[in-house]
Amino acid sequence: MKFSTLFLAGSSLLSAAVVQAHGDTIVPRSEIQRRDQLARRCASAAGAFNAKRMAKRSTPTERQATTAPEEETHYKSIQNETCVMTPEVIMGPYVWPKSQMMRTDMSEDQPGVPLTLDIGVLDMATCEPLQNAMVSLWHCNATGDYSSFEQLDENLTFQELKDKLGLTNVTYGVTDLHTDNTTWLRGMYPTNKEGMMEMKTIFPGFYAGRAIHIHTQVFTHWTLLPNGTMRSGDLVNTGQLYFDEDLTQTIMALEPYARHTQIQRTGNDVDKFIGGSMEGGYSPFVAVEPLDGPGGDVAKGMVGYITLGVDTANLSRPPNYIEPDSPYEKK
Ligand SMILES: *[C@@H]1O[C@H](CO)[C@@H](O)[C@H](O)[C@H]1NC(C)=O
Ligand SMILES: *[C@@H]1O[C@H](CO)[C@@H](O)[C@H](O)[C@H]1NC(C)=O
Ligand SMILES: *[C@@H]1O[C@H](CO)[C@@H](O)[C@H](O)[C@H]1NC(C)=O
Ligand SMILES: *[C@@H]1O[C@H](CO)[C@@H](O)[C@H](O)[C@H]1NC(C)=O
Ligand SMILES: *[C@@H]1O[C@H](CO)[C@@H](O)[C@H](O)[C@H]1NC(C)=O
Ligand SMILES: *[C@@H]1O[C@H](CO)[C@@H](O)[C@H](O)[C@H]1NC(C)=O
Ligand SMILES: *[C@@H]1O[C@H](CO)[C@@H](O)[C@H](O)[C@H]1NC(C)=O
């Protein structure tokens, strides 16, 4: 689905950081530079944070495989970049908070290569890990479908889909496009005292018009409702996570991904949302290691590490999380 033609109706929600050019949404250089500057300031903290999480996971008690000394070195060389998230609400048409569930495994019955996301959240104001931040994740399955939107055709661009459905005015998170109540590949969990959370899922597939990505939102203020969904009174950062092209090619050659032949996959190089990455600064790319250890086989499963930077000095409040009867609406 083509996100490029879609915008939030409330123009005040769109800052200058997202511009429209010939129908495409792009992240301008200046915005990437802003995130890069924030990330650079916290680079050594982010590097230490990543190394700590990786070292912990690579100990024999945490993982079946034993770790040889040179393999430990491999982990220590890890990146000091941070995916600085933005207060803009680039959450796409498939955000659906009603299907978000607090859990540490959101794969349900979806076939695909197992992916364990090891996510650290860093407060960009202090460069310190941020605890009790709710990290919400959602992505499509191995052949491009989103849960809760199963009936929407993953092989159509969003413009084609809108034309087909006769939709003229779509607002992300407000216009109700959901077709069912399935919840697979949607999940959320708060960060622990060390500022990290873990989510088991599968490597995502692709749909029309977008590079392979995982949506993420981080909430610094939230309440869990009795039915397991979350209400956030305010303050959210939104982002999307990506994977290296080489890794993607390896995974897309495997079943069930390989059967999605009707449309061509959009590469990272042409996706309008990625905005590139910078050495030692901003990067939205997940660092992946095989689950069975360095030198292992990613096709058997992988661990993906990423540090999300929350710009706590610059947060926003998306309209979709607030319902009219919400007791948390006005704090
Ligand atoms: C807040 O973020 C927006 C874009 O994400 C940016 O344009 C703006 O300069 C930021 N404000 C501050 C105070 O950092
Ligand atoms: C959960 O409860 C809230 C508050 O009562 C309600 O608005 C929401 O629709 C419920 N979600 C589901 C999936 O039942
Ligand atoms: C992805 O979800 C759709 C909709 O439920 C389903 O038809 C399809 O089989 C799923 N893909 C795989 C690989 O299971
Ligand atoms: C589009 O939808 C938004 C919110 O759903 C509404 O505020 C706006 O008036 C609508 N615009 C048009 C042209 O219908
Ligand atoms: C989703 O679940 C709600 C409450 O359980 C129900 O009222 C609604 O009809 C369901 N929606 C669909 C599309 O199945
Ligand atoms: C999308 O294309 C795949 C083949 O690549 C096909 O299996 C699937 O049914 C198509 N989806 C729809 C909704 O037609
Ligand atoms: C971050 O890593 C890059 C590449 O390894 C390095 O050049 C840079 O000095 C590091 N920055 C900090 C602050 O550690």
Side-chain angles (χ1 to χ4, degrees):
M1 293 92 199
K2 197 170 184 177
F3 287 61
S4 51
T5 48
L6 259 190
F7 290 93
L8 272 170
S11 60
S12 64
L13 291 165
L14 288 172
S15 82
V18 178
V19 299
Q20 188 176 12
H22 309 295
D24 283 329
T25 304
I26 57 165
V27 182
R29 194 81 185 150
S30 60
E31 168 58 15
I32 297 301
Q33 278 166 351
R34 193 186 69 85
R35 293 184 214 171
D36 193 56
Q37 271 168 13
L38 279 173
R40 266 173 205 279
R41 216 172 46 78
C42 295
S44 51
F49 192 23
N50 275 335
K52 191 176 162 190
R53 292 182 354 252
M54 289 176 169
K56 192 174 175 187
R57 190 177 292 278
S58 70
T59 58
T61 49
E62 298 258 330
R63 188 188 265 183
Q64 307 277 301
T66 52
T67 309
E70 70 264 35
E71 288 167 349
E72 279 172 12
T73 318
H74 181 84
Y75 281 115
K76 288 197 188 87
S77 71
I78 209 63
Q79 96 259 41
N80 53 14
E81 297 158 321
T82 301
C83 177
V84 179
M85 301 174 79
T86 52
E88 290 95 38
V89 194
I90 313 173
M91 56 192 168
Y94 306 109
V95 64
W96 194 245
K98 287 177 181 172
S99 300
Q100 218 69 265
M101 300 203 303
M102 195 158 112
R103 50 183 171 181
T104 53
D105 185 346
M106 66 186 202
S107 39
E108 294 190 14
D109 56 356
Q110 289 298 313
V113 173
L115 166 66
T116 297
L117 289 167
D118 180 312
I119 296 179
V121 178
L122 205 62
D123 181 344
M124 300 315 281
T126 60
C127 300
E128 293 286 335
L130 196 60
Q131 60 174 315
N132 206 32
M134 182 67 91
V135 179
S136 176
L137 301 156
W138 69 100
H139 63 81
C140 70
N141 75 3
T143 47
D145 272 287
Y146 278 94
S147 64
S148 299
F149 299 86
E150 282 188 331
Q151 302 309 311
L152 301 188
D153 189 341
E154 70 280 15
N155 301 323
L156 295 182
T157 63
F158 200 71
Q159 185 58 53
E160 289 166 338
L161 205 58
K162 283 201 299 179
D163 292 347
K164 192 178 151 192
L165 299 172
L167 297 168
T168 50
N169 184 17
V170 173
T171 305
Y172 289 172
V174 175
T175 308
D176 183 357
L177 296 177
H178 93 289
T179 64
D180 56 88
N181 286 332
T182 53
T183 59
W184 40 265
L185 310 183
R186 292 174 187 271
M188 59 183 181
Y189 211 75
T191 55
N192 65 13
K193 283 205 182 80
E194 275 86 49
M196 70 83 66
M197 61 80 79
E198 184 176 301
M199 184 66 77
K200 286 191 168 66
T201 186
I202 58 158
F203 195 89
F206 61 91
Y207 53 98
R210 286 302 317 280
I212 290 176
H213 63 279
I214 294 178
H215 289 274
T216 178
Q217 288 187 319
V218 178
F219 301 87
T220 52
H221 298 70
W222 53 273
T223 311
L224 201 63
L225 297 172
N227 64 12
T229 63
M230 183 216 29
R231 177 146 302 147
S232 168
D234 51 0
L235 308 187
V236 60
N237 265 231
T238 302
Q240 294 181 29
L241 313 179
Y242 301 90
F243 298 90
D244 286 336
E245 179 63 20
D246 287 355
L247 171 69
T248 295
Q249 281 180 14
T250 302
I251 305 303
M252 291 306 116
L254 307 169
E255 282 297 329
Y257 304 91
R259 76 174 70 140
H260 197 184
T261 52
Q262 191 167 318
I263 51 167
Q264 270 209 314
R265 179 171 61 84
T266 298
N268 292 340
D269 53 340
V270 291
D271 188 281
K272 296 292 191 296
F273 287 85
I274 294 183
S277 66
M278 300 214 178
E279 184 73 19
Y282 168 74
S283 170
F285 287 89
V286 178
V288 163
E289 294 288 352
L291 199 56
D292 55 6
D297 184 3
V298 284
K300 292 183 190 147
M302 59 190 115
V303 186
Y305 297 92
I306 190 143
T307 296
L308 303 179
V310 174
D311 187 2
T312 51
N314 193 1
L315 297 159
S316 78
R317 183 172 165 165
N320 61 312
Y321 280 83
I322 313 301
E323 277 155 17
D325 62 344
S326 166
Y328 306 105
E329 188 180 7
K330 299 260 184 287
K331 287 203 173 160

